[in-house]
Each structure stands twice: as C-alpha cells, then as structure tokens.
Amino acid sequence: MEEIGETHESDDGGVLSPFHKHPLYPTKDSSTPCVGCAGEETAGKCSCHICEIYVHKDCLEIINPSNPTYHLSLTDRYGKLFRCSICPSISYRYIYLCSFSGLPVCEKCARKPFTIDPGRAHEHPLLVFLKGSFSFPCDACGVNDAKSCLCLCIPCRFTIHRECVYLPRVICINRHDHRISHVPRLGSGNWSCGICRKEVNGMYGAFSCSTCTFAVHSRCAIRRNVWDGIELEGVPEEDPADNLPFKVVREGVIKHFTHEHNLRLINVGDILHDKSKQCYGCVLPIFFNSCYICTHCDFILHETCAYFSPKKRHPSVSRQLTLYAECYCSPYVWSGPFRCFVCDQKCNGFAYVDDSATLPGFKIDLRCVSIYDGYVHNSQPHSMLVISDDWSDYHSNECSRCGKSGNDVWCLTEREDLFMCYKCATIPELAMHKYDVHPLSLRFSENAIGDYWCDICEKIVDPLEWFYTCDMCSTTLHIDCVLGAEPYMRVGSTFQLGGFVLEVLSNDYASRPRCDTCSSRIEDVIVYKSEDVYFCSLTCIQKIPK
C-alpha cells in the first residue's frame, strides 16, 4: 500500500507536502494552471521556485464527501500512467492516492461522492468503497474479496465488486457449445462450475445456459483463455441449421460440405475390414465402424467424423475454430501435412483452424478436437479428463505416461496427481498390423509374471506401460512399432513439399527402401515416394536444400 504523509506549513511560510520534495510558496501567477485541478485562479496558489510547478494549496489534499476517512493526496509519479479506480479515465503523472487503500483516483472523482453508473448491473447509482474498507460477498460473482473495490446500493442491500459492474451479459466460451447468459442467481440446486468443477452457490450471480443445465462461475467465464472477449447481447443467434456439416439427399445418402460428390452410408454389419481404408477426416482406419463412402471416388469418412460441425470451440483457444479439409484454400490453411497445435503430431486429414490473424497457422486435428472437458478415458474409467486450474493459469504439468510438459495437458478428476497430454489421450484403442491378422487392443498396464517381448522389434515390453496385444494370439507389441513415427498420414494421399510431389505408401516392400536423405533403411510403417526416390520422414524431406 502506498504510504502517504501529511501536508503542513514550514517555518518560513512555505508548504511542505509529500507531493513535492521542495517547499511550495504562495504566488500570484495566473498564467500557469494548477497541476491538480488545471485551474488558473491565483487564490491559494503555490509554486516551487526550483521546479516551476504550480498547485493550489487546497488541491494538495482532498477529503472525499463519501467518507471523511478518505484523505486523497496529490502525488507526482513522473513517467507513469494511472487508471482511476472510480471512472475509466487515465491520468499521466499527477494522480490522487487514497490514504486508506493507496488506490489512484482522478481529480474529478476525488471531489465528488464515489458513485458510478451501474449500467445493466443495477437500477440505482452505486456508492464505491475503495478496497480494504470492508468486504461482503459480491452479488454478481459470489466471491468475498477484500482486495477488490466494493460498490453498494444501500436501500437495496445490493453489493457488487467494481470489476463485476460491467460483466458481459451474453457470451460464448470454449467449454460449451451454446451461448451462456449472466443471471442474478441460479437458484437452489447442486450446481458445479463447468470450468473449475467447484461448487457454484446458486444464491449469487453466475453464467448459465438456457438450453441445458450448464453453469459457470462469473469469474471463471471471463478468463482470457476461456472467453473471446465478445459481448453477444443484442446479436442475433446463429441458426443451428447453418452449422450443419451435410445435407441429406435421401435416406442413407448425404452431401458433405468438404466433398464434391454424394456420400453413401455403409452400416457396421456391411463393412469388410480393409486396413488400407483410412478416414479422410481423422486418418484412422475404418475398421468395423459405420462410414460414408463416395459414390464416385475413394473418399471415405467415419460416420462420427461426418458429424463434426463446420464451426466449433475448443479449450485450447478462446476463439471459434473453422473446419477445413486439406483441399480447401484459405490464408491460414495449408497444402499437404500440418502439425497439430495440441498433440504436436503431423497429420494430413481435416483440421479446425483459427481464421483470425492472432494465431496464423493454428490447427487442431479431429482426434484432438474429440477430446473434450468431461471426456472419460478408458485408462481411468471412473475419472473424467478436465482442463486443470494450473493450465488455466498458464502453468505446465507433465503427462503421467510420456512425461511431456506443456499447457495442453488434462488432469483426471479423481486422481489429481495424474495428467494426460493430447498425444497419449488420442492413441487409438484399436489397431491393425501385418504381424497379426486380428485387431490389436490397447492395454494400459497389467501385472505380469515373466517378460513380454515385442513381436516386431523383438525388444522387451514393459507390462506396466501401455502396449498393444492380440487377445487371440497373445502377441504383445510396442505402440510405436505398431503405429510408426508418423501414424496420422493417410496412405494413398499425395501432396507437394520441398519441390517434390510425394505419395504416402505402406512400407510393404520385400526389400526395405533407403531414404534418399539419410541413406538409412526405412523401417517405419509408411514411406514417402517421389518418382523413384524414397524418404523415411517429412523431416528428411525438409532437410533437402530448395
């Protein structure tokens, strides 16, 4: 807190004040305005003979009419800007500081009762008490915070924090698909915040959804990594029909916005497994899932991937994201593979993109978008994945499986000591490999007697770590051996990179080809081919001088 002294007279008739280091003496100058009130009246004006500063004696200290205990002293802070604690004005250098709280107040507010226009927060003017005076729970957010300025309407017994007066009314946040509105109180019931997961007191203000039972603390909703800062009150809501990803042509046939041809639904019982068939959206194999196939070409989408909305919000960014296929053009969209922002893996499927200029190149693949707040991962079937408070405060945690640290790490609600990154959370729970004719299931760990060995690399498998296994053949395989280094590159796709037109192929050659860059035998699941040249990875392609 700012320490403020008292103003008094010196023995030679001058004025000694904490405002200035030199004595101030009476002056009759009328041409230079007072640094406190900007007035030119000569009555009571003093000046410093050394610094040529002019100020009225009555402007050195003001007693605010709201409360006699508020002594406001004029202060010189050269080179600094101050925002008034009462009004939005900004002052340079000269400001009044409250002797009780140390908060800055502009000259106009210092001379009148501390009241503000509450706008939409209340129907009467509010009396402002600077922080530290006393504290009550805020009716708008429910927090009892002595560090905040408190505003009161005494007749109505209404209390609200200064910063809560102008809370937005209607907003969209990245943890919910619907708009949410600020309400005076939620009412009785067991309310849980959709962001911090803590209890919401229904007797105080909060944000809630009119469509479902979603509720959020007022302060949680307006975090800068949750809300995009756009007030939507009075803005017409978008028609949900405008955000549909496809149009129904007839029963079982759709026209998806990412493809030029109609797509026909193939149900689960009609699918014959073909490991070469990969979804154009998430790039995972089709396996035994229902899917939409093109009636004219090899385009194919999981039924679940076909339902991803063209516009979507995600916890990793506060703004709304737009879905693009790789063939679409946009200033921030790509040609060929991209690196997912949250899992840091390369992919050439669909991506959600931030179209704003704030984060150019920001892309998230469909697998990571499918991980949402409240998602239950089968490694911990009784615990949900949620964004932790540490993430919200821009601290980092380490993934309990791979040790990766970063902001995009989820915590488990019933195991607060466990965290999971996007890369681990999206490891496919079902896979296929040429070393086994049956589907491979992901095991999260097991107590084993004896050693496990990987049938691909013939190295030991730690049963306490995640691995793939065949329930029919009892084979055990490392995850990296099954998926490869770049598992989300669609086999059969072509793209241009580094002056090469490249095709992604399965590495099923009888003799392993050599990488043209590093000259090593390509052991990975896929290879990149350009005419008669092979590459082991995108990294090796990018090493070639242009």
Side-chain angles (χ1 to χ4, degrees):
M1 183 181 295
E2 187 84 23
E3 190 68 30
I4 301 172
E6 296 182 354
T7 299
H8 59 277
E9 291 189 1
S10 62
D11 294 338
D12 58 356
V15 177
L16 297 176
S17 171
F19 162 71
H20 195 61
K21 59 184 177 181
H22 304 134
L24 302 171
Y25 295 97
T27 180
K28 298 296 183 179
D29 185 285
S30 62
S31 61
T32 307
C34 168
V35 296
C37 67
E40 297 180 353
E41 297 83 2
T42 58
K45 184 181 283 189
C46 302
S47 68
C48 174
H49 297 163
I50 301 174
C51 303
E52 297 185 354
I53 288 178
Y54 295 83
V55 61
H56 291 119
K57 185 177 179 180
D58 291 343
C59 291
L60 291 174
E61 188 172 282
I62 298 175
I63 297 177
N64 186 262
S66 296
N67 193 328
T69 62
Y70 287 166
H71 287 244
L72 303 167
S73 297
L74 185 63
T75 308
D76 183 354
R77 292 293 183 266
Y78 180 77
K80 292 186 179 180
L81 292 174
F82 294 89
R83 182 181 295 276
C84 177
S85 301
I86 307 301
C87 72
S89 67
I90 297 177
S91 302
Y92 171 72
R93 184 172 180 176
Y94 299 108
I95 194 73
Y96 284 89
L97 294 181
C98 174
S99 60
F100 187 81
S101 66
L103 289 177
V105 180
C106 71
E107 187 269 339
K108 290 183 178 180
C109 291
R111 294 185 181 277
K112 61 184 182 181
F114 287 170
T115 59
I116 60 170
D117 177 7
R120 299 163 297 181
H122 194 62
E123 60 268 27
H124 304 137
L126 298 176
L127 188 64
V128 180
F129 288 84
L130 299 182
K131 69 178 182 180
S133 303
F134 55 89
S135 65
F136 285 102
C138 171
D139 285 322
C141 71
V143 177
N144 190 344
D145 185 4
K147 296 180 179 179
S148 297
C149 295
L150 198 63
C151 302
L152 301 180
C153 177
I154 296 175
C156 299
R157 297 184 179 180
F158 177 77
T159 60
I160 186 171
H161 292 132
R162 174 70 178 82
E163 58 267 30
C164 293
V165 170
Y166 302 109
L167 280 172
R169 300 291 102 183
V170 182
I171 61 174
C172 277
I173 61 173
N174 61 3
R175 310 298 175 84
H176 195 61
D177 290 332
H178 308 136
R179 289 185 177 189
I180 58 175
S181 304
H182 191 267
V183 294
R185 53 181 52 85
L186 292 172
S188 59
N190 296 321
W191 300 95
S192 175
C193 178
I195 296 175
C196 71
R197 301 287 165 176
K198 297 177 182 178
E199 180 185 1
V200 181
N201 190 330
M203 295 299 103
Y204 296 99
F207 282 89
S208 68
C209 178
S210 60
T211 306
C212 55
T213 58
F214 185 81
V216 185
H217 287 124
S218 296
R219 292 194 176 188
C220 290
I222 60 172
R223 291 179 180 177
R224 62 178 179 174
N225 59 343
V226 173
W227 175 43
D228 57 11
I230 300 175
E231 164 71 81
L232 297 175
E233 186 176 44
V235 178
E237 193 162 4
E238 295 179 2
D239 186 347
D242 295 336
N243 198 33
L244 295 178
F246 57 79
K247 294 181 179 179
V248 178
V249 177
R250 57 181 180 273
E251 185 178 358
V253 179
I254 64 170
K255 175 67 174 65
H256 200 270
F257 82 101
T258 62
H259 193 62
E260 64 269 26
H261 304 137
N262 290 342
L263 306 178
R264 181 167 59 89
L265 178 64
I266 302 296
N267 293 312
V268 175
D270 300 329
I271 297 176
L272 296 176
H273 171 69
D274 183 351
K275 69 176 182 179
S276 66
K277 294 291 185 181
Q278 291 174 271
C279 173
Y280 273 62
C282 67
V283 198
L284 293 175
I286 295 297
F287 289 134
F288 311 105
N289 302 301
S290 297
C291 62
Y292 283 99
I293 63 172
C294 180
T295 56
H296 294 85
C297 62
D298 63 352
F299 185 86
I300 186 169
L301 279 179
H302 285 121
E303 184 179 14
T304 53
C305 293
Y307 278 88
F308 276 97
S309 301
K311 300 283 187 180
K312 193 174 182 62
R313 294 184 182 270
H314 190 264
S316 59
V317 63
S318 61
R319 290 169 299 280
Q320 191 177 50
L321 303 175
T322 304
L323 179 63
Y324 288 97
E326 62 174 326
C327 58
Y328 275 56
C329 296
S330 169
Y332 306 115
V333 188
W334 62 102
S335 175
F338 66 93
R339 186 179 292 275
C340 176
F341 182 83
V342 293
C343 73
D344 199 35
Q345 297 185 98
K346 295 168 184 174
C347 177
N348 66 344
F350 294 178
Y352 278 95
V353 180
D354 183 357
D355 280 332
S356 71
T358 307
L359 287 173
F362 180 96
K363 307 176 188 73
I364 305 178
D365 60 46
L366 291 197
R367 297 171 300 100
C368 292
V369 166
S370 66
I371 304 298
Y372 53 87
D373 233 15
Y375 178 86
V376 177
H377 194 271
N378 284 335
S379 64
Q380 297 286 333
H382 303 295
S383 185
M384 298 183 298
L385 290 177
V386 297
I387 293 291
S388 66
D389 284 338
D390 286 338
W391 183 92
S392 299
D393 294 332
Y394 299 102
H395 297 297
S396 62
N397 298 303
E398 287 190 358
C399 175
S400 302
R401 178 189 170 268
C402 68
K404 175 190 174 183
S405 62
N407 293 332
D408 297 307
V409 177
W410 298 75
C411 71
L412 284 82
T413 52
E414 295 183 8
R415 290 292 305 274
E416 295 182 356
D417 59 328
L418 290 181
F419 299 89
M420 189 178 297
C421 67
Y422 276 95
K423 180 178 179 179
C424 294
T426 56
I427 293 175
E429 295 188 18
L430 189 67
M432 293 291 292
H433 196 275
K434 65 180 182 180
Y435 276 79
D436 200 299
V437 296
H438 306 116
L440 303 172
S441 301
L442 183 63
R443 289 283 179 87
F444 301 109
S445 68
E446 61 182 42
N447 296 321
I449 299 175
D451 295 331
Y452 285 6
W453 296 86
C454 176
D455 285 16
I456 298 176
C457 68
E458 299 182 350
K459 296 180 180 178
I460 197 166
V461 174
D462 186 350
L464 298 180
E465 300 292 338
W466 295 5
F467 60 93
Y468 281 110
T469 184
C470 174
D471 295 330
M472 301 290 291
C473 306
S474 298
T475 55
T476 55
L477 305 163
H478 290 124
I479 292 175
D480 291 343
C481 291
V482 172
L483 299 181
E486 295 170 348
Y488 306 115
M489 298 296 297
R490 183 172 55 82
V491 173
S493 62
T494 58
F495 58 92
Q496 187 169 346
L497 182 67
F500 296 93
V501 177
L502 297 155
E503 184 178 7
V504 184
L505 300 173
S506 293
N507 192 5
D508 294 333
Y509 299 93
S511 176
R512 300 288 190 186
R514 288 188 180 274
C515 175
D516 191 65
T517 302
C518 64
S519 299
S520 61
R521 290 285 184 185
I522 302 176
E523 303 290 340
D524 204 8
V525 177
I526 61 172
V527 298
Y528 299 94
K529 182 181 179 183
S530 178
E531 297 180 350
D532 295 329
V533 179
Y534 294 88
F535 300 97
C536 64
S537 67
L538 295 173
T539 303
C540 276
I541 300 169
Q542 292 168 335
K543 288 180 180 179
I544 299 175
K546 295 183 180 180

